[in-house]
Each structure stands twice: as structure tokens, then as C-alpha cells.
Amino acid sequence: MIEYEEITPEEIQIYTTKLVPRLLRVPPYQWTRIDDIAKDVSRFIEICQYLVDRGYFQDDKGFVIITVKEDKFVRLDPMYIRRHDTKTFRIP
């Protein structure tokens, strides 16, 4: 498992401000290949897991809005996209 000290401030900035808007451009129910948006797939998964474990990528009810499948694909929860005004999504 990755520790906070191993994540650069630039990575924190990218993951907390740019990942969700980028995934919002993809139609609901469509998966995005992780290797299309990240250079290192395993690091992408570790950082996302670290952030999820600390409450990031959750909606206002505490549900995780990001899903990783088979360590190859990522998407936002389609129900989140339908239920919320995604233009106002901000990670705390």
C-alpha cells in the first residue's frame, strides 16, 4: 500500500481536481482504459485506493463514485452521474 509521503503534490492535485472531470466526458456505463489516462496503471490504482480510503471520491451520502474493474478500467458510478449535478463536484 502506498503512503502519503510517496505521492507527489502534483499527483494529489491531478487526482483531486482533474480525474473526475475527465471521466465525466465519457458516457455513463462506458469504461475508460487506465493505461489511456495514466502512465503507470498500478500507481494509478494505488493512489486512487489511498484517496478512497481517506474519503475522497465520495458523494454527499458517502458512496464511492469511482470504480476500477479488473485493474484495467475505470469509470464513475453511472448512478452518481444521473443523480447529481456533476458540474459542481468538488473533492474536499
Side-chain angles (χ1 to χ4, degrees):
M1 176 173 264
I2 197 166
E3 296 297 326
Y4 180 76
E5 296 79 27
E6 299 174 66
I7 305 172
T8 67
E10 293 82 21
E11 287 174 316
I12 294 290
Q13 178 72 17
I14 289 168
Y15 283 75
T16 59
T17 62
K18 296 181 181 177
L19 180 59
V20 170
R22 181 170 185 163
L23 293 175
L24 281 171
R25 290 186 222 132
V26 179
Y29 295 104
Q30 184 174 333
W31 293 90
T32 299
R33 290 187 59 86
I34 295 172
D35 58 6
D36 286 346
I37 61 173
K39 295 175 190 169
D40 184 344
V41 173
S42 61
R43 184 160 180 83
F44 175 92
I45 293 169
E46 287 178 343
I47 292 172
C48 284
Q49 186 61 56
Y50 176 87
L51 293 172
V52 165
D53 289 347
R54 277 137 190 91
Y56 291 87
F57 303 124
Q58 291 182 3
D59 66 8
D60 55 345
K61 294 189 176 115
F63 293 105
V64 176
I65 65 163
I66 194 166
T67 306
V68 174
K69 175 181 161 186
E70 301 171 1
D71 292 347
K72 295 179 185 176
F73 305 98
V74 64
R75 74 174 180 188
L76 294 179
D77 180 338
M79 293 304 292
Y80 169 77
I81 295 170
R82 268 196 244 130
R83 287 189 315 251
H84 295 84
D85 177 11
T86 53
K87 291 179 181 154
T88 62
F89 180 81
R90 301 288 301 163
I91 293 180

